[in-house]
Amino acid sequence: MSTPHDRTLPPTSGRPRRGVLATTFTVLRQRRRTLADATVRVVGLAGLAGLLTTAAIFALAWPVFTRMRDQRIRYHRAEEPYPHDHTDLAWVALCTLPLFLLLLGAGTAALQSACSRAVAAEARPRGDRPRATVLARIRPVLAVYTLRGLIVWSLPLLAETAAHRLTGYQLDTPEPLERGSWPYTLVAASPAAAVCVAVLLRLALALAPAAAADGLTARAALRRSWALTWTRAGGARLLALALPLAALTAGALWLVTRLALPLRPFVRTLLERATGNFFAAYYAGVLTPVIVAVLATAALTLPLTCTAFAALHDRLRPHRAA
């Protein structure tokens, strides 16, 4: 007995379906005020929360900056070069990275939910839209970002850790693997291969946030994204959409970072005069253009990106028959 196949049925609204780009720009044009308000609220709240979090982290790490300043003064008096050690600050940054990832994920989840609602209002009849509260819509999207991050980046992190332990230059002789041997070459190349696999996984799960905003649970959204991507039409359309959006985001981030570079000496000078600590002012100056660039790039590109992926998901998803 043959197994029935799922078929994508035409929508029941009676209106012709637009293409992905046409739907995206129609939604951005007709619902620009709603999406602009959502973008301003999300980026503003995320920026404020990020600023407060950064200030709290600097306050907690102030003893590290003070010790660095005292060591610099001591080496300067001894007329010896100061060996600047970043290890403590690297650990602080590594331990606080999940907080910033959580802020980024929560903001993106909220904006993805708003964009998916706008696409649903444009593309579907009123009775076919999922109804849920704001928190109920954001929660599965945030869960998707968390699960997708674990799935995508676990393999590269494990490969990098294994390569560092088995082929790193910090190892003493005898080394676990002989340099130049096939096992050594394979282990040394494993991080690059793992990154390639992670990129493919990331592409295959790119539609999961839009699916979660459509009313699915996190696991169901990941499964739907995987199923829609590995089809002839889905994979090609996803690649054609993801590559230009990635290039646009990277270009905008680079451009805004370059434009925000004059803030670095301004912030450094201001904080050094206020606190008397060169190192705290220096790292605050380094972070300022990056933070400004991330927020500005998010405000410029996230509405377009989230709307485009929501439109693509709506185009590829199975539609119920009347």
Side-chain angles (χ1 to χ4, degrees), residues 26-192:
T26 298
V27 171
L28 291 175
R29 183 179 65 254
Q30 294 184 354
R31 303 183 181 273
R32 56 185 178 273
R33 178 171 296 181
T34 301
L35 294 180
D37 291 343
T39 302
V40 170
R41 288 197 303 269
V42 168
V43 175
L45 290 176
L48 179 60
L51 180 62
L52 294 176
T53 304
T54 304
I57 292 170
F58 266 71
L60 293 175
W62 200 259
V64 177
F65 294 124
T66 303
R67 184 170 64 252
M68 295 170 66
R69 181 197 61 186
D70 295 341
Q71 289 178 351
R72 184 192 181 198
I73 294 174
R74 187 162 54 250
Y75 275 89
H76 179 71
R77 289 176 178 174
E79 297 183 353
E80 296 179 0
Y82 171 61
H84 194 176
D85 187 8
H86 304 271
T87 305
D88 292 338
L89 290 179
W91 278 109
V92 171
L94 187 62
C95 293
T96 56
L97 181 61
L99 295 176
F100 293 99
L101 292 179
L102 179 62
L103 284 176
L104 181 62
T108 309
L111 202 52
Q112 179 66 68
S113 299
C115 294
S116 294
R117 291 198 305 273
V119 171
E122 177 66 25
R124 304 182 208 168
R126 183 174 298 274
D128 195 31
R129 302 178 202 167
R131 297 180 180 179
T133 62
V134 175
L135 289 178
R137 282 190 295 261
I138 294 177
R139 193 180 299 114
V141 181
L142 185 57
V144 161
Y145 283 122
T146 304
L147 289 177
R148 189 175 67 179
L150 292 175
I151 293 172
V152 169
W153 297 113
S154 294
L155 182 60
L157 291 176
L158 291 175
E160 178 62 31
T161 302
H164 180 73
R165 289 181 177 273
L166 295 176
T167 64
Y169 287 98
Q170 81 284 353
L171 297 173
D172 297 328
T173 55
E175 297 179 353
L177 299 176
E178 182 182 356
R179 293 184 181 273
S181 62
W182 278 106
Y184 181 91
T185 303
L186 291 176
V187 172
S190 61

Side-chain angles (χ1 to χ4, degrees), residues 6-29:
D6 293 334
R7 296 181 180 178
T8 301
L9 300 176
T12 59
S13 61
R15 296 184 301 176
R17 300 186 70 188
R18 299 188 182 97
V20 174
L21 290 179
T23 301
T24 299
F25 288 109
T26 298
V27 171
L28 291 175
R29 183 179 65 254

Side-chain angles (χ1 to χ4, degrees), residues 227-286:
L228 293 178
T229 301
W230 295 112
T231 59
R232 184 179 303 176
R237 290 180 178 180
L238 178 62
L239 197 62
L241 183 65
L243 290 181
L245 289 176
L248 175 64
T249 302
L253 184 63
W254 177 84
L255 179 61
V256 178
T257 303
R258 301 294 297 179
L259 293 176
L261 283 180
L263 293 174
R264 180 179 295 177
F266 172 75
V267 172
R268 183 176 64 229
T269 303
L270 184 65
L271 288 182
E272 188 175 5
R273 290 178 180 175
T275 63
N277 194 314
F278 167 79
F279 291 100
Y282 172 79
Y283 285 106
V286 169

